[in-house]
Amino acid sequence: MSETSKLKPGHIQGETGVWEMVIGLEIHAQVSSKSKLFSGASATFGAQANSNVSLVDAAMPGMLPVINEYCVEQAVKTGLALNAQINNISVFDRKNYFYADLPQGYQISQFTKPIVGEGEINIDVDDNNQTTIGIERLHLEQDAGKSLHDQHPSKSYIDLNRTGVALMEIVSKPDIRSPQEAGAYVKKIRSILRYVGSCDGNMEEGSLRADCNVSVRKAGEEFGTRCEIKNLNSIRFINQAIQAEAERQVEILESGGEINQETRLFDTSTGETRSMRSKEDAHDYRYFPDPDLLPLEFTDSFVQDIKDKLPELPDFVKKRLVNEYGITPYDASILVEEKDYVNFFEKAATGGDGKLTANWMISELFGALKKENLLLSNSPISPETLGELIGLISKGIISGKIAKDVFSEMMISSKKPSDIVKEKGLEQVSDDKEILKLVDKVIADNQDKVKDYLSGKDKLFGFFVGQVMKISQGKANPGLVNKMLKENLK
Amino acid sequence: MSDLLKYDLLGASEAIKSKEISSVELTNAYIEAIEKTSSLGAYLEIVKDKALEMAKVSDENISKGVSRPLEGLPIGIKDMFCTKDIKTTASSKILDNFYPTYESTVTQNLWNDGAVMLGKLSCDEFAMGSSNETAAKGNVINPWLKHKKMSPGGSSGGSAAAVAARSALAATGTDTGGSIRQPAAFCGITGLKPTYGRCSRWGIVAFSSSLDQAGPLTRTVSDAALMLNSMASYDKKDSTSANLNMPDLMSYLGNSIKGKKIGIPKEYTQDGISDDIVNFYQKSINWLKEAGAEIIPVSLPHTKYALPVYYIIAPAEASSNLARYDGVRFGQRKEASSLDEMYEATRGEGFGDEVKRRIMIGTYVLSSGYYDAYYLKAQKVRRLIKEDFENVFKKVDYILTPSTPTTSFELGKKQDPLTMYLNDIFTVPASLAGLPGISLPIGLDKLGLPIGIQLIANSFDEPGLISTAHVLEKSADFNFIADGAAK
Amino acid sequence: MSNKKSIVDIPTVNKIARLSRLDIPEKNKQSLTNDLNNILGFVANLEEVDTSNVEPLASVTGHKLPLRSDIVTDGNMEDLVLKNAPESSSGFFVVPKVIE
C-alpha cells in the first residue's frame, strides 16, 4: 500500500516494474437538435417506445435520408471550439453490420473524410498538472436504437426512438495517461459542448457517453494491445473502468499472457470489465460512401459565420478569471467547467475579494451542495448572499470561523448573512475597550502562565489568544486581541 | 370493347377528354385484358375495385370540366414502387406480406395527375436480372411469339409485357443498368430511363442507389413524354433528386432534328450482335440522316469496362441496401432461437439465388482487403466512363446505339449468370454516367421478334431525346402488335 | 487485383455468407463458389485500366447535398411503424433474445 501511494496516477506497480497507462477516448455527444440527423422524427429523450420513429428510422423499403442543417452547424461549431481543422468537404459512409437495433443494417457515419479533423484542448488535472490532449477527429453519425433484454425470458424488445439521433463522435489521440486525466478530459469536453450549446452533456440520460481505449506499457516502450471499454456514462465509471482494465492487463502480461484486442463492458456492480459476447464476431464493416447522400460541402463563409457567433469558450473565460480576480488557474478551471459556475462566481465576487469568493464557492458551497445532492441552480445560497458573506469576512465584521456557522445557517434558511449575524449577535467585537476587558480578565485569571510567559515561554502567547477568543465566544477580532495581548503582557 | 385497347396513352387521353369514351369503360376494358392475358404472368396484384373507383372519380372530373394530365388513364406499376396498402414485394419472397403504409413519390405524382391504377407488375427479384426469371412468383412470358415462351427481358419484364400485351396502357419501370430499356426492346415498346435525379427514388425499393432511376414503359414516344411529365419531380425527401424543372416534354414532339449531330460509337458495333440488329442499326442511322441530322463517328474507349464496373458497384450497393430485409420490422421471418440464426434463416430462405449471388459479390468487393482492388477501382473507372461521354457530348448532341446485342431469348435458355449479364452491355454505360436513354422499337428480326434502338442524350436533355426519338419513331413506323396481346 | 488473384474457396464463401447473414445450404456452396469466381474473373479486366490519377466517382449528381431545417415533421406513428412487424409486443419490435 505504501508502495502504490508513491506511484503517480496512471502508473501501476507490477512485479516486473512500473506500468504506464495509454488511454484514448471516443466521446459520443448527442447533438442538441430537435429532430434526428437524417429524419424529421423528434430526438427527445424518454418518449413512449417507437413513438419518435419515422419510416426512415425504421428503414422501411425505399426510405431515404436527408441531413439536418442544424446538426452540421453544431459539428462545425464544436470543431472550432476544439481548435480543430474544419473540412469543407466531408463524406458520409455506411458502416455495415447486423444488429437488432440497427434497422438499416448499416450506420451512417463518417469514415475517411470526417467533418472535423485534428485539434487539441488543454486540461487541468490539478494545480500542478496541466496538459494538452490531441483531438484526432470529430464526425457526425447516427445513434442506434435500444434493446431491452429483461422484458421476456427468450426475447429482446426493440425500441427505435434513439435510432438516427445525431451524435458527434469526438476521438482523442492516445495522449491520456491516467484515469484522472481521462476524467479531466471528459469534463473539459463536456464544458466546451455546453458553452457552445451543441450538446447538453447530460451523462445520466446518455447524451454524453464514452468508449475508452486502454493499453499498458513500460515507460518508453511501444503502445501495447488495446481493449475498448464501451458505453461509459459517468466520469466515476470512466475512472474505475480504466483503472480496473489497466490492472487486468498488467496481471495478464506479468503472468506471461497476451492481451486480446476486444470490446469489453464495465460491470458497475463488480467494478470489473468483461468481454462483450455480442461483439465476439470479427467485424468487417465494409465502409463505403452512402450513395443516398452526396458529399457534404460548405463554403469558408459558412464556417466564418459560425466562428463569428461563437461564444466565449472555457479557456478564454479561465484566463479572464485569473487576470481579473487573481484566482489560481486550477480554481478558475473548476469554475469554468459550467457557465452556471462562472455566472454565479462573477455575481458573488462583485466588488469583493475574488480569491476568497473562489475558495468559498469551491470548497464550502460545492461541498455543501454535493452533500445535499443539489445543483448550483437550486442552491439555497444565492450569489448575492454569498457575496455578502464574503463582504462580512473581508470587512472584519465576522471571523472566518463564525462565517462557517453563518454559512451553515444560510444553507438551511436561505437568510441573508447580515440578518443571521444580527439575530444571533455574531458581529465581531472590535471595540478596544471591550477587548481590553477580556484581555485583563484572562491575564488576571492566569497569573502562573503570565509568569512563565514573561520568563521566556513565548509559545504560551497562543494560549492567551485562545482564552480571549473562548470567552468572547469567537466574536473578538483576532487582530485586536493579538495587539492588545502584546501590549498588556509586560 | 376491344376497340378501346387500340388507343395509345395520348389517344385515350384525348378520347376521354372529348368524352368519346369514359375512364370506367376504358378501365374495364383493361381489366378484361388483364384477365385474358393472365397466362403471361405480368401482374402480381390486380386492384380492380380501386381501379374502378379511381376511374369513376376521373369521369366525374371530366363531367365537371376538370381534367388532369393523365385523367382516367389505366396504368400498371412495377412492384418495386411502394404503394400504400397494396402489397409490394419487389418480386421477392422476403417481402411476400409487405403492405407499405406510404406511397412512393413517383406513383403519388401519377395519381395526383389522374392516372388509374390497375395493379402491380412482376419484375426480377429486387430488379436484379435481365429476363424476369428471378421473380419469386415465376416467369413472365413475352407476348411476342407467345407459344415459344420468350423472355420479356428484365428487370421490368412485367411492365414491358403488360404494355406489349395491351393489359396496361402504360407502366412504370425502374432502370439500374438497363431494366427499362432492355425489356422495352424485347417487347417491342418504348422505354425511357431519365437522367439520374429526374424521378425521385423515395418509396422505390432500392437496388443500387447511385444507379436506380424510374421511368415509363409505353407504346409510343409521345406516351413516354406524357408519362414522364408526371413522374418526374424535384423531391426534398430524396437528397439525390435534381432541383430542375422538367420542361413540358409534349411540346418537344414534332421538332425537327435538322443539323443535330448524332454520334455513332465504334465500340458498340463489336461481335456478338445479331445481323438483324446490325442491319436495323444501319437503317436507323440512315433515317436520321434523311431527317437532316449529321452522323459523326465517335469513340467511348472505356465501354468494355462498363459491365465489370457495373457488376462491382451495383452488387456492392445492393449488399448494403438489402441488409434491412432482416425479418425484424417487416417482411417474412423464419423463426430461430438466436438473433443471428433468425437473420440467416430469414435471408437464406427469403432471397432467391441471383439476389444472394449479388449480395455475396457485393459483400466480397467491399470487404477488408478487397475494397481498393474492386470497389474503389470500379469507382475510378466509372469516372473514366462518365468522362468518355462528356467528351463525346462536346462534339455531338445524341448517341445512337442498339438497345441490346440480341433480341429476346427463350425462357430458361440462359442459365449462366455471366451470359445473362451481357444483355445489358449497351444500356449499362449510360446508367453509369447517369445519362437519359430511350429504347424504341424499329423492326422485327427474322423470327418476328422486336428490335430496339437506343438514343442517349446529355444529362437533363430529355426534351431533345424525345424530339429525336419521335423523328426516329416516325421513320421506323413500327406498327406491329404482339401475337400474345389482348384483342 | 493481380496481387490478390481472388480465388474464392468454400471457406471464403462461408465467411462472406456469415457477413451477409445468409444461410447457404451446403449443397449449393460449390456452385456458388464457381459463380463468384466466374464473376470475379469477369470483372478482373479492370486491372488493365490506368487509374493512377483518377478520383473515384461515387455519385453522378452535380448538385450539393441539400440540407433540411431542424424541425420535427415526422414520427408519432407507432402503429404504422409496427404494422408490418412479424412480431411485436406493447409497442416494441420483438426478436430472439440477444446476449451482450
Side-chain angles (χ1 to χ4, degrees):
Chain A
M1 202 59 210
S2 56
E3 277 291 306
T4 44
S5 62
K6 273 185 246 158
L7 283 172
K8 285 211 288 185
H11 282 190
I12 292 174
Q13 180 67 55
E15 279 167 23
T16 60
V18 174
W19 296 81
E20 175 188 70
M21 301 181 194
V22 175
I23 303 157
L25 293 190
E26 293 166 16
I27 292 180
H28 298 264
Q30 179 181 334
V31 178
S32 59
S33 59
K34 295 188 191 78
S35 61
K36 294 183 177 180
L37 182 54
F38 294 110
S39 91
S42 169
T44 321
F45 174 82
Q48 190 191 326
N50 288 306
S51 61
N52 289 341
V53 177
S54 75
L55 299 171
V56 177
D57 307 320
M60 291 290 166
M63 293 299 98
L64 299 170
V66 182
I67 197 167
N68 184 334
E69 178 171 32
Y70 178 84
C71 297
V72 173
E73 288 166 359
Q74 300 317 300
V76 170
K77 205 159 82 170
T78 308
L80 290 168
L82 297 174
N83 312 301
Q85 163 78 33
I86 306 298
N87 295 324
N88 289 26
I89 299 178
S90 64
V91 172
F92 287 96
D93 297 289
R94 291 185 183 177
K95 179 181 183 181
N96 295 283
Y97 64 97
F98 285 87
Y99 201 66
D101 56 22
L102 187 77
Q104 295 166 141
Y106 53 83
Q107 176 197 35
I108 306 179
S109 181
Q110 297 190 296
F111 185 50
T112 50
K113 291 177 180 166
I115 185 166
V116 175
E118 293 187 330
E120 59 176 40
I121 61 166
N122 301 311
I123 60 165
D124 297 73
V125 185
D126 54 48
D127 253 329
N128 312 311
N129 186 357
Q130 277 131 39
T131 181
T132 300
I133 305 294
I135 302 290
E136 179 68 38
R137 58 188 281 157
L138 175 155
H139 66 253
L140 282 168
E141 64 181 27
Q142 298 177 300
D143 202 352
K146 204 169 161 48
S147 303
L148 301 159
H149 307 303
D150 50 3
Q151 308 284 305
H152 190 283
S154 61
K155 306 276 186 182
S156 290
Y157 282 39
I158 311 294
D159 173 13
L160 302 180
N161 278 348
R162 291 195 74 90
T163 304
V165 166
L167 300 179
M168 293 180 285
E169 180 171 329
I170 304 165
V171 183
S172 83
K173 291 189 183 287
D175 291 350
I176 300 167
R177 292 289 174 271
S178 70
Q180 290 76 1
E181 281 185 16
Y185 171 79
V186 175
K187 277 188 191 164
K188 187 59 174 282
I189 293 281
R190 185 174 60 182
S191 76
I192 290 172
L193 295 169
R194 284 180 172 167
Y195 271 61
V196 301
S198 58
C199 168
D200 67 19
N202 190 331
M203 297 188 88
E204 295 77 49
E205 287 183 2
S207 42
L208 196 76
R209 330 190 275 273
D211 298 343
C212 301
N213 286 294
V214 179
S215 65
V216 295
R217 66 172 177 188
K218 294 271 178 66
E221 282 179 1
E222 296 281 297
F223 288 164
T225 305
R226 66 193 157 85
C227 287
E228 185 182 12
I229 316 162
K230 280 264 177 214
N231 254 329
L232 297 163
N233 64 356
S234 84
I235 289 171
R236 190 161 60 95
F237 292 155
I238 290 172
N239 262 301
Q240 293 173 356
I242 292 172
Q243 188 69 38
E245 175 58 18
E247 283 170 7
R248 184 189 72 91
Q249 291 184 11
V250 167
E251 227 177 277
I252 291 174
L253 292 170
E254 294 210 324
S255 57
E258 265 180 40
I259 306 297
N260 287 329
Q261 185 165 342
E262 61 177 358
T263 307
R264 301 179 68 83
L265 272 183
F266 179 62
D267 187 331
T268 53
S269 57
T270 62
E272 285 171 357
T273 68
R274 65 172 167 84
S275 188
M276 257 180 110
R277 288 169 71 178
S278 59
K279 300 269 177 182
E280 269 169 16
D281 244 355
H283 272 144
D284 186 342
Y285 290 125
R286 292 159 283 135
Y287 285 98
F288 75 106
D290 190 333
D292 286 333
L293 295 162
L294 305 167
L296 172 62
E297 289 178 52
F298 40 74
T299 57
D300 289 338
S301 72
F302 174 85
V303 179
Q304 192 57 48
D305 283 352
I306 294 172
K307 206 171 194 171
D308 292 344
K309 286 184 218 141
L310 218 55
E312 275 190 352
L313 293 169
D315 281 355
F316 182 86
V317 178
K318 177 182 155 190
K319 213 180 239 173
R320 189 167 60 72
L321 294 186
V322 171
N323 290 339
E324 277 180 30
Y325 298 93
I327 65 178
T328 69
Y330 180 62
D331 281 357
S333 78
I334 293 174
L335 292 176
V336 300
E337 253 172 46
E338 304 277 354
K339 270 199 226 171
D340 269 12
Y341 297 177
V342 177
N343 291 340
F344 192 106
F345 169 75
E346 294 203 88
K347 269 190 211 159
T350 312
D353 181 338
K355 218 168 167 177
L356 198 56
T357 312
N359 282 339
W360 273 81
M361 232 185 114
I362 292 166
S363 47
E364 300 302 323
L365 182 59
F366 284 178
L369 290 174
K370 199 174 176 190
K371 216 187 259 171
E372 303 290 324
N373 231 335
L374 287 171
L375 292 173
L376 186 61
S377 50
N378 303 322
S379 166
I381 296 177
S382 69
E384 290 76 16
T385 53
L386 182 69
E388 200 191 319
L389 182 68
I390 306 296
L392 294 176
I393 302 166
S394 27
K395 281 179 207 143
I397 296 171
I398 54 172
S399 65
K401 188 163 175 293
I402 293 284
K404 285 192 184 176
D405 299 337
V406 176
F407 180 89
S408 303
E409 179 65 25
M410 288 162 75
M411 278 298 290
I412 298 162
S413 65
S414 295
K415 280 185 188 160
K416 284 172 72 174
S418 51
D419 291 347
I420 296 170
V421 168
K422 241 179 243 162
E423 267 170 40
K424 303 208 164 175
L426 298 173
E427 285 105 332
Q428 191 155 272
V429 176
S430 298
D431 179 29
D432 287 11
K433 280 178 202 155
E434 286 287 313
I435 290 176
L436 189 55
K437 270 187 208 163
L438 300 171
V439 168
D440 286 346
K441 184 172 166 32
V442 168
I443 291 174
D445 291 353
N446 297 284
Q447 279 303 316
D448 299 357
K449 298 256 167 50
V450 173
K451 262 182 216 158
D452 291 351
Y453 175 74
L454 291 175
S455 65
K457 283 197 172 174
D458 288 355
K459 279 184 184 164
L460 276 169
F461 189 73
F463 165 79
F464 296 114
V465 175
Q467 287 300 306
V468 176
M469 293 310 287
K470 193 177 166 193
I471 59 171
S472 77
Q473 291 168 313
K475 289 187 285 184
N477 181 323
L480 280 178
V481 171
N482 267 294
K483 185 174 157 238
M484 294 205 159
L485 273 172
K486 276 200 181 133
E487 283 170 8
N488 289 284
L489 278 170
K490 283 177 184 166
Chain B
M1 208 51 158
S2 63
D3 271 3
L4 291 166
L5 299 181
K6 71 172 188 246
Y7 291 108
D8 59 21
L9 193 72
L10 187 58
S13 173
E14 282 159 3
I16 288 175
K17 276 184 204 158
S18 66
K19 298 183 189 170
E20 201 178 306
I21 59 170
S22 75
S23 173
V24 170
E25 276 178 283
L26 185 67
T27 302
N28 268 319
Y30 273 93
I31 290 167
E32 203 174 299
I34 291 171
E35 283 158 9
K36 279 186 187 160
T37 59
S38 63
S39 62
L40 299 177
Y43 279 84
L44 294 174
E45 197 80 7
I46 303 152
V47 290
K48 186 177 165 183
D49 293 345
K50 186 180 171 74
L52 288 170
E53 214 174 280
M54 291 171 97
K56 233 174 108 189
V57 171
S58 285
D59 285 338
E60 282 161 18
N61 279 340
I62 295 286
S63 70
K64 281 185 272 180
V66 181
S67 85
R68 297 167 287 174
L70 296 172
E71 196 70 77
L73 302 171
I75 61 170
I77 300 299
K78 186 180 185 182
D79 207 29
M80 294 294 280
F81 294 80
C82 290
T83 43
K84 194 174 179 210
D85 300 327
I86 295 169
K87 192 154 98 170
T88 299
T89 71
S91 265
S92 179
K93 193 178 161 192
I94 209 162
L95 279 178
D96 198 32
N97 52 357
F98 179 56
Y99 288 83
T101 57
Y102 49 95
E103 185 77 30
S104 83
T105 300
V106 165
T107 47
Q108 189 61 55
N109 287 344
L110 291 166
W111 316 141
N112 289 348
D113 277 358
V116 168
M117 186 195 201
L118 290 169
K120 302 298 287 287
L121 295 160
S122 177
C123 55
D124 280 298
E125 185 182 3
F126 283 102
M128 297 177 193
S130 308
S131 66
N132 218 104
E133 287 167 294
T134 71
K137 292 273 158 82
N139 296 332
V140 173
I141 296 165
N142 192 330
W144 293 86
L145 306 189
K146 193 188 159 200
H147 62 287
K148 290 187 83 173
K149 295 206 165 50
M150 309 298 287
S151 168
S155 67
S156 310
S159 300
V163 173
R166 304 197 159 183
S167 63
L169 199 38
T172 62
T174 59
D175 190 314
T176 305
S179 279
I180 288 174
R181 292 160 288 163
Q182 184 257 16
F186 275 20
C187 292
I189 62 165
T190 299
L192 196 166
K193 182 201 91 78
T195 311
Y196 182 82
R198 270 294 192 200
C199 289
S200 168
R201 293 185 297 111
W202 194 89
I204 299 174
V205 174
F207 159 19
S208 175
S209 310
S210 77
L211 294 158
D212 294 345
Q213 184 56 207
L217 291 102
T218 54
R219 288 195 207 168
T220 68
V221 173
S222 317
D223 288 2
L226 190 59
M227 278 285 281
L228 187 55
N229 264 350
S230 293
M231 291 171 74
S233 68
Y234 170 57
D235 187 358
K236 287 186 173 168
K237 292 186 286 186
D238 174 0
S239 298
T240 61
S241 170
N243 190 1
L244 276 177
N245 276 332
M246 173 79 95
D248 177 11
L249 293 173
M250 300 305 285
S251 67
Y252 291 85
L253 295 164
N255 282 3
S256 159
I257 58 159
K258 216 170 160 94
K260 294 283 179 202
K261 297 188 176 82
I262 310 287
I264 307 297
K266 66 173 186 209
E267 292 81 6
Y268 283 57
T269 46
Q270 289 157 348
D271 24 305
I273 309 173
S274 83
D275 291 347
D276 289 331
I277 290 177
V278 171
N279 289 340
F280 271 97
Y281 187 23
Q282 192 51 53
K283 270 190 191 170
S284 307
I285 294 170
N286 294 340
W287 289 329
L288 289 172
K289 218 187 275 178
E290 284 161 22
E294 191 186 336
I295 304 299
I296 297 172
V298 294
S299 172
L300 295 159
H302 295 92
T303 298
K304 72 166 168 169
Y305 304 111
L307 275 180
V309 167
Y310 179 83
Y311 278 97
I312 290 171
I313 288 176
E317 292 183 9
S319 70
S320 174
N321 281 336
L322 268 56
R324 65 187 57 198
Y325 304 97
D326 60 4
V328 176
R329 296 163 319 285
F330 45 80
Q332 297 286 3
R333 171 190 293 187
K334 176 90 177 138
E335 292 297 344
S337 55
S338 79
L339 182 66
D340 278 333
E341 281 165 349
M342 187 278 277
Y343 284 153
E344 287 172 353
T346 296
R347 294 164 58 79
E349 209 166 86
F351 292 134
D353 287 345
E354 180 62 19
V355 171
K356 279 188 233 174
R357 237 182 330 258
R358 298 215 196 177
I359 291 175
M360 292 284 288
I361 281 288
T363 302
Y364 183 82
V365 299
L366 288 175
S367 66
S368 147
Y370 300 101
Y371 181 89
D372 286 1
Y374 290 103
Y375 185 74
L376 201 65
K377 182 80 181 182
Q379 280 193 320
K380 288 178 178 175
V381 181
R382 185 176 182 185
R383 180 175 298 280
L384 295 175
I385 289 167
K386 185 166 182 271
E387 285 172 358
D388 279 358
F389 280 105
E390 284 163 3
N391 291 332
V392 165
F393 279 120
K394 284 179 193 150
K395 290 175 240 157
V396 304
D397 299 298
Y398 306 104
I399 295 168
L400 186 77
T401 80
S403 301
T404 53
T406 67
T407 53
S408 177
F409 46 84
E410 276 176 53
L411 289 164
K413 265 273 171 79
K414 296 195 178 177
Q415 299 293 351
D416 169 35
L418 274 183
T419 326
M420 191 63 89
Y421 295 173
L422 293 172
N423 266 291
D424 298 327
I425 192 157
F426 296 142
T427 48
V428 155
S431 292
L432 290 173
L435 301 172
I438 190 168
S439 172
L440 59 150
I442 44 166
L444 297 178
D445 71 1
K446 284 187 216 70
L447 293 169
L449 287 167
I451 294 169
I453 195 87
Q454 173 180 234
L455 272 165
I456 300 166
N458 209 342
S459 288
F460 301 108
D461 189 15
E462 282 84 357
L465 191 66
I466 289 288
S467 298
T468 313
H470 195 235
V471 168
L472 202 53
E473 182 183 49
K474 270 197 203 151
S475 310
D477 194 24
F478 182 92
N479 53 17
F480 304 100
I481 300 171
D483 53 289
K487 305 246 164 37
Chain C
M1 252 166 270
S2 47
N3 51 351
K4 287 215 159 81
K5 254 301 180 229
S6 39
I7 301 304
V8 172
D9 51 15
I10 288 187
T12 311
V13 162
N14 288 337
K15 189 188 130 209
I16 299 296
R18 170 70 187 150
L19 270 178
S20 315
R21 296 295 186 276
L22 287 174
D23 185 20
I24 309 279
E26 215 53 50
K27 63 177 169 46
N28 297 351
K29 282 184 181 164
Q30 190 53 55
S31 71
L32 183 58
T33 306
N34 297 344
D35 285 347
L36 298 188
N37 278 321
N38 286 338
I39 296 166
L40 291 172
F42 173 66
V43 303
N45 76 341
L46 289 188
E47 70 188 275
E48 67 197 44
V49 185
D50 178 8
T51 52
S52 38
N53 293 313
V54 184
E55 276 296 303
L57 178 73
S59 170
V60 294
T61 309
H63 64 262
K64 277 196 200 171
L65 182 68
L67 309 168
R68 63 166 228 284
S69 305
D70 182 29
I71 307 166
V72 176
T73 54
D74 216 336
N76 282 318
M77 43 155 124
E78 303 92 294
D79 45 340
L80 296 188
V81 163
L82 292 160
K83 189 179 167 242
N84 281 285
E87 191 180 353
S88 65
S89 175
S90 42
F92 293 91
F93 294 100
V94 177
V95 299
K97 191 153 197 127
V98 181
I99 299 149
E100 286 199 323

